[in-house]
Amino acid sequence: MNHATWPARVILIVISAVIVWTVIAAQRGKKLFIRRIPGLTAIDEAVGRAVEMGRGILLSSGLGGIDVVTLQALAICTNIASAAARYGTKVQMPIYEAALLPIAEDAISSAYNKAGRSDAFSSDDVRYLSNQQFAYAAGVAGMIQREQYAATFLFGTFFAESLIMAENANMVGAIQVAGTPSTTQIPFFIASCDYVIIGDEYYAATAYLTRQPTLLGSMIGQDRVKIAILVTVMLGFLLTMVKLPLVKNLFEDKDMPAASYYSPAKGGK
Amino acid sequence: MRIPQLDRRVLYLLLALVVSIPLLVNVPLPPPAITPPTKSFYETIETVSTDPKTKDKLVIISCNFGSGTLAENLSQLEATLNHIVSKRMKFAIFAFNDPQGRDLGGSTAQRIADKAGYKYGEDWVNWGFRPPQGIQSLLKAMVNDLHGALGTDVKGTKLSTIPVMANYKKADDVGLIIEFAAADTVKYWVQFFQRAGTTPIATLFCPTSVMANEAYPMLETGQLQGMLVGLKGANEFETVMKRPGFATRASASLSYSHLLIILLIILGNVGMIQDRKRQQGATK
Amino acid sequence: MKEETVKLIVILLGVASTLGIYSILYKENKVFRFFEHLYLGLAAGYSISAAWNDILRPQWWTLMMIEGRWWMLFAIPAAMMFYMIYSKQNSWMSRLIFGLFLGATAGQTFQAFAADYFPKFRTAASKAVMDLPEVNQPGAYGLTPFSAALNNVLFMVILASVMTYFFFSFEQKGKVIPSVSKFGRYTLMVAFGALFGSTIMARMSLLIGRMYFLIHDFVQVQLLHMQ
Amino acid sequence: MFQVQHGAALYTHLAGAAVVSVILFFALTLVPTKLRRPLIMAVTFAAGLFYALEFFWPVSGPESDQKNFLTSYIKPFSDITTVLQSFALGLGVYSLVSIHLRKVARTQSGWAYSLVLIVSMIVMVIAHIGKEYIKAPWVHQLNEFAYSGLMKSLDATMFSIIAFYIVSAAYRAFRIRSTEATILLVSAGIIMLGQVAIGQAITNAIPNEGLTANLRVENMANWILKKVNSPAIMAIDFGLGVGGLATALRLWLSLERGSYFEEEL
């Protein structure tokens, strides 16, 4: 779809309005509930283990550029960094995309500030490694083997290199938590990490960790949208049974005359 | 007999052996079953190359892979190009994900084209590489003006002066898109090009087998008309065309490495159960 | 240097780097560390060259200096804002340029959402249980109208239960919802197992490619002069 | 005003633009603290609005060439953002080089490796940019060694090393420990068998027609991939899509809160 159709305009604007509405309502102090997400409690556990063992923590925000997924990863990493800083555990973060380096450096150093440990932050700990996929993986593998991290957190966009990083960390006995919207990599994280955050638990993570009203509101809004999508799709399924392609037509690539949206399907495709 | 837990280095050594032996000596292997995506891949090319509406249109060969996935993507490209030239269709090589794609695609096309008596500029062309960052807007611009949007071919010649491009000016002149990829780059064609002209353009996908999983839904939605899944797909395609090549040889290595993994998993589980029993015995 | 000598050196370098990297499989060692740093250096150099050769030169320098679009010079102060991150007082200026990028990415999400998900919604909403077109298609081995309808019902059940698993705004209590979401989780495991299983093939193919290089290009052609 | 210039006029225009740049840049440093955040918010919103409007605004024109008043600016705008992003590479290179140069200068442990890194970077730049400008054969050969000999092999090797890791991961993880692990194992096993000729041979005796065809291992694998995998992945995708859209909205409208977004500027 190069340009919005009329149904697309309506649907996208309604979805956006629902989300923005709940976010603003939450910011104004509306009490909201989200359920416990098991994988996320593991984050604190892993930080605790690293503190006990007195070894460092590795954070990776994956292979994304400045995009929605990577910024989300950075938000999670910032939380972990501030928890670690509170206990005086060293955090290292190899960066893939150069433009992300200053944002990450800024975010991690402000996490240290928040924990009252700005003295412990060294700008070498957030370092650019490479923006070539496997050079980055080789570098991270080397870092893991040499530094023998106690815990590794892999959040963000990952591709094939996910397993290189996760297996090397497994070799040095690190406790690992991973989360990614790259669905293809989840099986490998499941095989070599201790805890894996699946699907849009990824977007729920910061909301859950920080209990920030903005993020909680967003979660609730997203949930409502998802429920609406499920209901719509189910309705479409039922309507297809009686040969009414109404729902299907709403999602067509091109606008069609208003009357034909709810006209019965013409036989066959 | 007690089965010990194996050290990871033993696993690595076993794998290296199992993969290399079939490459050194001929190991017998049954022919593969032809899966539906391969079948529809083959049939789509058949249809496009015989349908009077599409048979004179351009085939875009989009090579978005690098040397890393050579074994899979190059065997797919070889098998497919062989088929395209046997149908005497005109094609254009294009790359927008990795500059290596332009070179790997270009040299493979050159080799196959030479063998088939194709002339550069008259029967085929290499559009070269365009950076991935601008691909969305480039594809949008290509819909109405291939010559203007792309500018020149890989050698710096203006497309408008290349004979083969004379009849191919916009998306409607494209009959088939075949994407060879190590990433989900086919989505750009689907999102911005496939349906942007007056009729949808048949689109085929040759992903590495890992990328195939994400693409299966696109076969269902009709966004893709066929798919060669990795080396396996290439091997199936070679079998359909009765033209065995690299893919056929390599699939012996592939088969036996899978067998090794399955054996190892079974051994691991048997060992685990034995250990568990022994521990129970000890506590009694 | 002769063409063949260059080719031989290229292959020897390839063999050395292949074995050097594989040495980490045994354990971390000096050879691996050497190739790791070599790799990072080469990759950095490659990124710089690619940025110039593929982007800055054709899309900026040539336009500015050869085609005479002098206003392209304004890219420099804009890009300088990135570097203001290192200034104490004016680091906020780097956020200005990030803001531009964040905004642009966010703005494109509408189109991306419509283009990515609308076809999926369409597919899911038009799963039929009668008049199934796929029954008569080639490749539909043994697909009867009944089993095709069953498959489509199963499709909806899986879709709904996996989506239920990912609802966060209410506690998953009661009789129905926990079992639906448990079923969702189990089907997720089937899907992940399938993803794992089918990836093995891709990874083995890569290893085959490398082994073929070592065995064929190096040992057979270069050392034994076989063809 | 924005007209293409050539020759001497180009250079005077460039000089003028440089002066204007310096003034603008200096003017920005004078923006009072209170106005900084609103300015950032405005820029973010405007950049997003551009793409959003282009998508939402009604279009006209022939079926295959529908556009609105913004469509023709999409390409120049995305070109510029690409160029700007390339400039940011300097940040990374600066970080990398400064860490390793310091190591070399202080001869800290492992300084020799740092030297290797810096030298190989320089060699690659000379070879890879050099080949575009210098026709001498040594540049071409250097590029062959650095790029085709080393870089490409290192890439391919590092990618292929996953094959080893996938074996150790499968060996360790695929155990019948819990229901979930068992499901994972069975599903992966069927797919593995169904994908290779030797696995398919197990059920080759079963006819590939009628109901019994369902028992063939490649058909089972295919069924799992198409009928179980697709809806499950689709369901995950729906959540991710909505999550991504929500994050985008929060960023675009500057609704995001938290340390990075609330710091003093």
Side-chain angles (χ1 to χ4, degrees), chain B residues 34-54:
Chain B
I34 311 302
T35 52
T38 307
K39 220 171 177 172
S40 48
F41 185 92
Y42 174 78
E43 277 155 8
T44 305
I45 300 184
E46 286 294 306
T47 320
V48 171
S49 62
T50 46
D51 186 338
K53 266 189 254 154
T54 49

PDB file of all heavy atoms in Angstrom, chain B residues 34-54:
ATOM      1  N   ILE B  34       9.524 -33.399  -3.982  1.00  0.00           N
ATOM      2  CA  ILE B  34       9.316 -32.024  -4.449  1.00  0.00           C
ATOM      3  C   ILE B  34       8.196 -31.387  -3.629  1.00  0.00           C
ATOM      4  O   ILE B  34       7.061 -31.863  -3.643  1.00  0.00           O
ATOM      5  CB  ILE B  34       8.947 -32.002  -5.944  1.00  0.00           C
ATOM      6  CG1 ILE B  34       9.920 -32.868  -6.747  1.00  0.00           C
ATOM      7  CG2 ILE B  34       8.909 -30.575  -6.482  1.00  0.00           C
ATOM      8  CD1 ILE B  34      11.367 -32.475  -6.635  1.00  0.00           C
ATOM      9  N   THR B  35       8.509 -30.303  -2.929  1.00  0.00           N
ATOM     10  CA  THR B  35       7.514 -29.673  -2.063  1.00  0.00           C
ATOM     11  C   THR B  35       6.685 -28.653  -2.848  1.00  0.00           C
ATOM     12  O   THR B  35       7.137 -28.146  -3.877  1.00  0.00           O
ATOM     13  CB  THR B  35       8.197 -28.965  -0.884  1.00  0.00           C
ATOM     14  OG1 THR B  35       9.203 -28.109  -1.420  1.00  0.00           O
ATOM     15  CG2 THR B  35       8.829 -29.953   0.058  1.00  0.00           C
ATOM     16  N   PRO B  36       5.467 -28.354  -2.363  1.00  0.00           N
ATOM     17  CA  PRO B  36       4.590 -27.416  -3.076  1.00  0.00           C
ATOM     18  C   PRO B  36       5.230 -26.062  -3.411  1.00  0.00           C
ATOM     19  O   PRO B  36       5.024 -25.579  -4.526  1.00  0.00           O
ATOM     20  CB  PRO B  36       3.396 -27.258  -2.132  1.00  0.00           C
ATOM     21  CG  PRO B  36       3.373 -28.510  -1.337  1.00  0.00           C
ATOM     22  CD  PRO B  36       4.796 -28.946  -1.205  1.00  0.00           C
ATOM     23  N   PRO B  37       5.995 -25.404  -2.504  1.00  0.00           N
ATOM     24  CA  PRO B  37       6.560 -24.101  -2.898  1.00  0.00           C
ATOM     25  C   PRO B  37       7.463 -24.193  -4.131  1.00  0.00           C
ATOM     26  O   PRO B  37       7.436 -23.323  -4.995  1.00  0.00           O
ATOM     27  CB  PRO B  37       7.362 -23.677  -1.665  1.00  0.00           C
ATOM     28  CG  PRO B  37       6.785 -24.425  -0.541  1.00  0.00           C
ATOM     29  CD  PRO B  37       6.308 -25.725  -1.104  1.00  0.00           C
ATOM     30  N   THR B  38       8.254 -25.286  -4.206  1.00  0.00           N
ATOM     31  CA  THR B  38       9.123 -25.476  -5.365  1.00  0.00           C
ATOM     32  C   THR B  38       8.294 -25.704  -6.626  1.00  0.00           C
ATOM     33  O   THR B  38       8.569 -25.149  -7.686  1.00  0.00           O
ATOM     34  CB  THR B  38      10.052 -26.685  -5.155  1.00  0.00           C
ATOM     35  OG1 THR B  38      10.730 -26.518  -3.926  1.00  0.00           O
ATOM     36  CG2 THR B  38      11.041 -26.820  -6.285  1.00  0.00           C
ATOM     37  N   LYS B  39       7.259 -26.527  -6.446  1.00  0.00           N
ATOM     38  CA  LYS B  39       6.392 -26.838  -7.574  1.00  0.00           C
ATOM     39  C   LYS B  39       5.768 -25.559  -8.131  1.00  0.00           C
ATOM     40  O   LYS B  39       5.773 -25.319  -9.336  1.00  0.00           O
ATOM     41  CB  LYS B  39       5.293 -27.790  -7.107  1.00  0.00           C
ATOM     42  CG  LYS B  39       4.997 -28.841  -8.126  1.00  0.00           C
ATOM     43  CD  LYS B  39       4.079 -29.877  -7.528  1.00  0.00           C
ATOM     44  CE  LYS B  39       3.760 -30.886  -8.620  1.00  0.00           C
ATOM     45  NZ  LYS B  39       3.043 -32.018  -8.111  1.00  0.00           N
ATOM     46  N   SER B  40       5.245 -24.718  -7.235  1.00  0.00           N
ATOM     47  CA  SER B  40       4.601 -23.504  -7.736  1.00  0.00           C
ATOM     48  C   SER B  40       5.632 -22.511  -8.266  1.00  0.00           C
ATOM     49  O   SER B  40       5.340 -21.718  -9.157  1.00  0.00           O
ATOM     50  CB  SER B  40       3.707 -22.870  -6.669  1.00  0.00           C
ATOM     51  OG  SER B  40       4.365 -22.761  -5.455  1.00  0.00           O
ATOM     52  N   PHE B  41       6.848 -22.571  -7.737  1.00  0.00           N
ATOM     53  CA  PHE B  41       7.935 -21.748  -8.259  1.00  0.00           C
ATOM     54  C   PHE B  41       8.167 -22.094  -9.732  1.00  0.00           C
ATOM     55  O   PHE B  41       8.178 -21.238 -10.612  1.00  0.00           O
ATOM     56  CB  PHE B  41       9.206 -22.034  -7.458  1.00  0.00           C
ATOM     57  CG  PHE B  41      10.394 -21.172  -7.810  1.00  0.00           C
ATOM     58  CD1 PHE B  41      10.626 -20.000  -7.122  1.00  0.00           C
ATOM     59  CD2 PHE B  41      11.292 -21.549  -8.809  1.00  0.00           C
ATOM     60  CE1 PHE B  41      11.725 -19.206  -7.409  1.00  0.00           C
ATOM     61  CE2 PHE B  41      12.381 -20.763  -9.113  1.00  0.00           C
ATOM     62  CZ  PHE B  41      12.607 -19.584  -8.417  1.00  0.00           C
ATOM     63  N   TYR B  42       8.306 -23.403  -9.974  1.00  0.00           N
ATOM     64  CA  TYR B  42       8.546 -23.889 -11.321  1.00  0.00           C
ATOM     65  C   TYR B  42       7.373 -23.546 -12.235  1.00  0.00           C
ATOM     66  O   TYR B  42       7.539 -23.025 -13.343  1.00  0.00           O
ATOM     67  CB  TYR B  42       8.749 -25.410 -11.260  1.00  0.00           C
ATOM     68  CG  TYR B  42       8.879 -26.091 -12.590  1.00  0.00           C
ATOM     69  CD1 TYR B  42      10.077 -26.034 -13.295  1.00  0.00           C
ATOM     70  CD2 TYR B  42       7.819 -26.809 -13.136  1.00  0.00           C
ATOM     71  CE1 TYR B  42      10.197 -26.659 -14.519  1.00  0.00           C
ATOM     72  CE2 TYR B  42       7.929 -27.434 -14.358  1.00  0.00           C
ATOM     73  CZ  TYR B  42       9.129 -27.358 -15.046  1.00  0.00           C
ATOM     74  OH  TYR B  42       9.249 -27.971 -16.257  1.00  0.00           O
ATOM     75  N   GLU B  43       6.166 -23.785 -11.720  1.00  0.00           N
ATOM     76  CA  GLU B  43       4.985 -23.545 -12.552  1.00  0.00           C
ATOM     77  C   GLU B  43       4.792 -22.067 -12.861  1.00  0.00           C
ATOM     78  O   GLU B  43       4.332 -21.713 -13.949  1.00  0.00           O
ATOM     79  CB  GLU B  43       3.731 -24.110 -11.855  1.00  0.00           C
ATOM     80  CG  GLU B  43       3.586 -25.599 -12.123  1.00  0.00           C
ATOM     81  CD  GLU B  43       2.791 -26.321 -11.061  1.00  0.00           C
ATOM     82  OE1 GLU B  43       2.214 -25.645 -10.181  1.00  0.00           O
ATOM     83  OE2 GLU B  43       2.767 -27.567 -11.102  1.00  0.00           O
ATOM     84  N   THR B  44       5.144 -21.195 -11.905  1.00  0.00           N
ATOM     85  CA  THR B  44       4.999 -19.756 -12.159  1.00  0.00           C
ATOM     86  C   THR B  44       5.913 -19.325 -13.307  1.00  0.00           C
ATOM     87  O   THR B  44       5.495 -18.591 -14.207  1.00  0.00           O
ATOM     88  CB  THR B  44       5.339 -18.940 -10.901  1.00  0.00           C
ATOM     89  OG1 THR B  44       4.535 -19.411  -9.842  1.00  0.00           O
ATOM     90  CG2 THR B  44       5.086 -17.467 -11.116  1.00  0.00           C
ATOM     91  N   ILE B  45       7.156 -19.799 -13.290  1.00  0.00           N
ATOM     92  CA  ILE B  45       8.058 -19.443 -14.387  1.00  0.00           C
ATOM     93  C   ILE B  45       7.518 -19.990 -15.700  1.00  0.00           C
ATOM     94  O   ILE B  45       7.508 -19.305 -16.723  1.00  0.00           O
ATOM     95  CB  ILE B  45       9.495 -19.956 -14.134  1.00  0.00           C
ATOM     96  CG1 ILE B  45      10.050 -19.348 -12.845  1.00  0.00           C
ATOM     97  CG2 ILE B  45      10.412 -19.614 -15.303  1.00  0.00           C
ATOM     98  CD1 ILE B  45      11.479 -19.719 -12.550  1.00  0.00           C
ATOM     99  N   GLU B  46       7.009 -21.226 -15.656  1.00  0.00           N
ATOM    100  CA  GLU B  46       6.410 -21.807 -16.864  1.00  0.00           C
ATOM    101  C   GLU B  46       5.294 -20.925 -17.394  1.00  0.00           C
ATOM    102  O   GLU B  46       5.243 -20.604 -18.584  1.00  0.00           O
ATOM    103  CB  GLU B  46       5.834 -23.204 -16.540  1.00  0.00           C
ATOM    104  CG  GLU B  46       6.887 -24.291 -16.369  1.00  0.00           C
ATOM    105  CD  GLU B  46       7.639 -24.587 -17.656  1.00  0.00           C
ATOM    106  OE1 GLU B  46       6.996 -24.880 -18.672  1.00  0.00           O
ATOM    107  OE2 GLU B  46       8.896 -24.504 -17.632  1.00  0.00           O
ATOM    108  N   THR B  47       4.389 -20.515 -16.483  1.00  0.00           N
ATOM    109  CA  THR B  47       3.235 -19.706 -16.901  1.00  0.00           C
ATOM    110  C   THR B  47       3.687 -18.361 -17.452  1.00  0.00           C
ATOM    111  O   THR B  47       3.258 -17.949 -18.533  1.00  0.00           O
ATOM    112  CB  THR B  47       2.301 -19.455 -15.694  1.00  0.00           C
ATOM    113  OG1 THR B  47       2.233 -20.647 -14.936  1.00  0.00           O
ATOM    114  CG2 THR B  47       0.924 -19.047 -16.141  1.00  0.00           C
ATOM    115  N   VAL B  48       4.551 -17.675 -16.699  1.00  0.00           N
ATOM    116  CA  VAL B  48       4.980 -16.343 -17.128  1.00  0.00           C
ATOM    117  C   VAL B  48       5.683 -16.419 -18.475  1.00  0.00           C
ATOM    118  O   VAL B  48       5.495 -15.563 -19.340  1.00  0.00           O
ATOM    119  CB  VAL B  48       5.897 -15.695 -16.067  1.00  0.00           C
ATOM    120  CG1 VAL B  48       6.524 -14.417 -16.594  1.00  0.00           C
ATOM    121  CG2 VAL B  48       5.117 -15.402 -14.798  1.00  0.00           C
ATOM    122  N   SER B  49       6.467 -17.486 -18.684  1.00  0.00           N
ATOM    123  CA  SER B  49       7.254 -17.544 -19.912  1.00  0.00           C
ATOM    124  C   SER B  49       6.443 -18.027 -21.108  1.00  0.00           C
ATOM    125  O   SER B  49       6.921 -17.989 -22.236  1.00  0.00           O
ATOM    126  CB  SER B  49       8.480 -18.437 -19.715  1.00  0.00           C
ATOM    127  OG  SER B  49       8.053 -19.748 -19.429  1.00  0.00           O
ATOM    128  N   THR B  50       5.227 -18.510 -20.880  1.00  0.00           N
ATOM    129  CA  THR B  50       4.433 -18.951 -22.033  1.00  0.00           C
ATOM    130  C   THR B  50       3.218 -18.056 -22.284  1.00  0.00           C
ATOM    131  O   THR B  50       2.740 -17.964 -23.404  1.00  0.00           O
ATOM    132  CB  THR B  50       3.947 -20.402 -21.843  1.00  0.00           C
ATOM    133  OG1 THR B  50       3.432 -20.530 -20.523  1.00  0.00           O
ATOM    134  CG2 THR B  50       5.076 -21.392 -22.034  1.00  0.00           C
ATOM    135  N   ASP B  51       2.739 -17.390 -21.214  1.00  0.00           N
ATOM    136  CA  ASP B  51       1.587 -16.507 -21.375  1.00  0.00           C
ATOM    137  C   ASP B  51       1.946 -15.358 -22.314  1.00  0.00           C
ATOM    138  O   ASP B  51       2.919 -14.633 -22.085  1.00  0.00           O
ATOM    139  CB  ASP B  51       1.211 -15.949 -19.988  1.00  0.00           C
ATOM    140  CG  ASP B  51      -0.077 -15.130 -20.033  1.00  0.00           C
ATOM    141  OD1 ASP B  51      -0.441 -14.659 -21.122  1.00  0.00           O
ATOM    142  OD2 ASP B  51      -0.698 -14.976 -18.967  1.00  0.00           O
ATOM    143  N   PRO B  52       1.179 -15.190 -23.413  1.00  0.00           N
ATOM    144  CA  PRO B  52       1.524 -14.119 -24.373  1.00  0.00           C
ATOM    145  C   PRO B  52       1.555 -12.728 -23.731  1.00  0.00           C
ATOM    146  O   PRO B  52       2.260 -11.839 -24.195  1.00  0.00           O
ATOM    147  CB  PRO B  52       0.429 -14.224 -25.437  1.00  0.00           C
ATOM    148  CG  PRO B  52      -0.612 -15.124 -24.868  1.00  0.00           C
ATOM    149  CD  PRO B  52       0.049 -15.988 -23.856  1.00  0.00           C
ATOM    150  N   LYS B  53       0.798 -12.548 -22.640  1.00  0.00           N
ATOM    151  CA  LYS B  53       0.776 -11.221 -22.005  1.00  0.00           C
ATOM    152  C   LYS B  53       2.082 -10.923 -21.292  1.00  0.00           C
ATOM    153  O   LYS B  53       2.465  -9.777 -21.129  1.00  0.00           O
ATOM    154  CB  LYS B  53      -0.385 -11.155 -21.007  1.00  0.00           C
ATOM    155  CG  LYS B  53      -1.645 -10.570 -21.625  1.00  0.00           C
ATOM    156  CD  LYS B  53      -2.695 -10.326 -20.551  1.00  0.00           C
ATOM    157  CE  LYS B  53      -3.785 -11.356 -20.654  1.00  0.00           C
ATOM    158  NZ  LYS B  53      -4.524 -11.664 -19.481  1.00  0.00           N
ATOM    159  N   THR B  54       2.744 -11.949 -20.801  1.00  0.00           N
ATOM    160  CA  THR B  54       3.920 -11.687 -19.965  1.00  0.00           C
ATOM    161  C   THR B  54       5.234 -12.172 -20.568  1.00  0.00           C
ATOM    162  O   THR B  54       6.294 -11.806 -20.097  1.00  0.00           O
ATOM    163  CB  THR B  54       3.769 -12.378 -18.593  1.00  0.00           C
ATOM    164  OG1 THR B  54       3.393 -13.728 -18.811  1.00  0.00           O
ATOM    165  CG2 THR B  54       2.723 -11.682 -17.743  1.00  0.00           C
TER     166      THR B  54
END
